[in-house]
Amino acid sequence: MNSVREPGTLVIVHRVPVSITPLHEWLSEVLDRIVLITSTESADGYRDVLDYVIAVDDYPHNPAVVEHVDELCRTRRVERIVCGTEDDALRVAGARERWGIPGMTVHETLPYRDKLLMKDAVSTVVHTPRYTVPDSLGEAEEFAEQAGWPVVVKPRLGYGSRGVRVVGNADSLREELVGRSGDDLLLEEYVPGTVHHVDGFAYQGKVLWSVSSRYLNNCLSWQEGTSLGSAQTDPEDVLSKRLEAFAQAVAEVLPIPEPTPFHLEVFQHAKTSELYFCETAARTGGGHILDVLERATGMNCVREWYRSQCGLPHRADRPEFSSERFGFLLVPPRQGRLRSIADDYPVYADVRMNASPPQVFGPAAASTDTVMGLIVSGTSNELVEERLSSCMEWASRAMEWEAP
């Protein structure tokens, strides 16, 4: 007589707060099988809704995260290990390999994290800015002279625009390279023009569906204290079609073995209008990209992705798209004391406040560090961009700051 095998443990490695990712609602039918490893800051919120929560200090850098995963795999029959942020992707992939658990492997994950491997792969199918990993300051200066100033300095394994700098001369390049690890360094040709992003689901080398958007300002605007915005493009726009084809070409050389969200960033050259690869990730985009995608598609991509990773029924195929376009604005902090924020919010904006004046801020450390976010909609990309520009003007006058 055949015995029925009991379902195994689902280990979820996840630092995002329950207010953003209500795992207990998304995975309600398997709550008794979940062990969550999360940050100390997020743990209390999850303890109210999950039975087994492990809190870890300094979560992104603490080896205890992996140690907890390995201990669970030693002492339980772990069926799946689930994660959704880039600081977890490689360490979870390594644990899956060690314990023979399904999911993305290190080999499949690394090109989505290491920008050198990423660019080596995609440069065979799409235009890619010139890039190098210099062995010395001399090699770095030689590359910059050949590529032309300015050049972009970035970490190979970075995310959220952390550690990315645009430098315009040899002195600035020398200063920027001091203290950087040569093992986590990439130099790249600067491409002038607009920046676009494509978000959707991919599976085994095929884009299942996608939504294209254009950034207002750029992903490094926060370094100058300027807001970053993004507006979805009109699907009938020729550029939208070009971006869709670009995303498909990238997906084919970086195939994902299971249905997974992706976030692709693309430059459009100011003079030639040619599209150039910036970078891509096997996850949803940051900021409010998840929010505007859900409004455009009726689908929460992270919910469906987590259900897929848990082996549960999920949606990943082409959704019913809204006839409206959506966009968002991220307003970064300044270094100083935020005394007040006016409450005469734009009537067409959904405002997400991340500050409680009076409050002291340091400078933003990443593109997603914000005082507030605003989400707008409209019948066209043009209208969404107009509204985001108005929101940008409102935010600049609505905040009252004092110098530190």
Side-chain angles (χ1 to χ4, degrees):
M1 179 173 156
N2 294 329
S3 60
V4 177
R5 195 180 195 192
E6 289 294 322
T9 297
L10 303 172
V11 176
I12 301 182
V13 184
H14 180 78
R15 60 174 165 77
V16 181
V18 68
S19 58
I20 299 173
T21 52
L23 301 178
H24 59 296
E25 297 176 1
W26 294 355
L27 309 171
S28 59
E29 64 265 55
V30 291
L31 290 186
D32 59 332
R33 297 168 54 196
I34 291 174
V35 176
L36 175 67
I37 302 171
T38 190
S39 67
T40 300
E41 296 79 5
S42 296
D44 284 346
Y46 283 111
R47 286 193 177 109
D48 290 337
V49 294
L50 296 176
D51 292 335
Y52 198 159
V53 177
I54 300 172
V56 177
D57 294 330
D58 189 25
Y59 179 93
H61 310 107
N62 196 332
V65 171
V66 175
E67 292 167 5
H68 284 303
V69 172
D70 285 339
E71 179 62 20
L72 288 165
C73 290
R74 270 191 295 269
T75 58
R76 294 173 173 239
R77 190 176 70 80
V78 174
E79 191 169 297
R80 301 289 183 109
I81 309 175
V82 178
C83 73
T85 56
E86 283 185 304
D87 46 4
D88 284 324
L90 279 173
R91 55 188 180 183
V92 164
R96 290 186 187 121
E97 286 192 1
R98 283 194 298 278
W99 299 98
I101 293 170
M104 286 184 73
T105 65
V106 172
H107 176 74
E108 292 161 339
T109 302
L110 197 55
Y112 278 96
R113 293 289 291 112
D114 186 330
K115 293 175 178 58
L116 176 62
L117 299 181
M118 181 189 299
K119 291 174 188 293
D120 283 348
V122 303
S123 62
T124 62
V125 295
V126 295
H127 289 293
T128 305
R130 285 175 285 181
Y131 60 94
T132 190
V133 175
D135 288 329
S136 64
L137 176 59
E139 280 193 18
E141 292 178 347
E142 183 180 354
F143 171 81
E145 293 294 340
Q146 292 176 351
W149 299 97
V151 293
V152 183
V153 182
K154 59 175 63 175
R156 285 171 58 172
L157 296 173
Y159 58 93
S161 300
R162 293 171 176 84
V164 180
R165 297 290 185 272
V166 178
V167 296
N169 55 60
D171 289 341
S172 298
L173 180 61
R174 289 189 203 99
E175 291 175 8
E176 191 58 49
L177 295 186
V178 172
R180 287 194 185 239
S181 169
D183 294 333
D184 190 24
L185 173 67
L186 187 79
L187 261 62
E188 185 176 285
E189 175 187 12
Y190 178 78
V191 177
T194 53
V195 188
H196 303 257
H197 59 95
V198 187
D199 301 271
F201 257 89
Y203 176 46
Q204 294 184 344
K206 181 175 177 56
V207 173
L208 303 179
W209 60 267
S210 65
V211 175
S212 301
S213 304
R214 175 166 49 236
Y215 283 118
L216 280 70
N217 296 329
N218 62 65
C219 297
L220 300 181
S221 297
W222 57 274
Q223 295 179 359
E224 301 171 354
T226 305
S227 297
L228 166 65
S230 169
Q232 293 171 353
T233 56
D234 300 319
E236 66 276 9
D237 190 293
V238 172
L239 181 58
S240 292
K241 303 298 183 185
R242 292 179 63 198
L243 289 166
E244 288 176 12
F246 196 100
Q248 176 56 45
V250 170
E252 289 175 6
V253 294
L254 292 175
I256 304 176
E258 56 192 21
T260 302
F262 71 90
H263 173 67
L264 167 68
E265 294 184 345
V266 182
F267 302 117
Q268 185 179 30
H269 199 288
K271 292 183 178 179
T272 66
S273 295
E274 190 60 71
L275 299 180
Y276 285 80
F277 178 84
C278 175
E279 56 190 61
T280 191
R283 57 158 174 82
T284 53
H288 289 300
I289 289 176
L290 179 62
D291 300 88
V292 296
L293 271 182
E294 185 169 5
R295 295 181 189 216
T297 64
M299 177 190 298
N300 185 302
C301 295
V302 177
R303 175 189 185 275
E304 304 307 324
W305 182 28
Y306 272 46
R307 289 184 63 82
S308 171
Q309 289 187 76
C310 287
L312 300 173
H314 61 278
R315 292 176 58 202
D317 54 348
R318 188 174 181 85
E320 291 293 329
F321 290 108
S322 169
S323 59
E324 287 195 295
R325 309 273 73 74
F326 300 88
F328 67 90
L329 188 72
L330 303 178
V331 182
R334 302 178 190 175
Q335 185 166 10
R337 183 172 182 264
L338 178 61
R339 293 185 58 187
S340 63
I341 302 175
D343 59 3
D344 58 336
Y345 308 136
V347 295
Y348 44 76
D350 176 5
V351 181
R352 310 287 181 85
M353 198 61 65
N354 297 322
S356 300
Q359 184 175 348
V360 176
F361 285 89
S367 58
T368 52
D369 289 349
T370 64
V371 171
M372 62 180 136
L374 300 93
I375 297 175
V376 305
S377 63
T379 54
S380 67
N381 167 267
E382 182 180 12
L383 179 56
V384 170
E385 290 196 359
E386 286 177 4
R387 288 179 169 176
L388 289 174
S389 295
S390 296
C391 287
M392 208 176 297
E393 293 173 6
W394 171 81
S396 66
R397 65 171 174 76
M399 297 183 295
E400 184 181 2
W401 291 90
E402 289 179 346

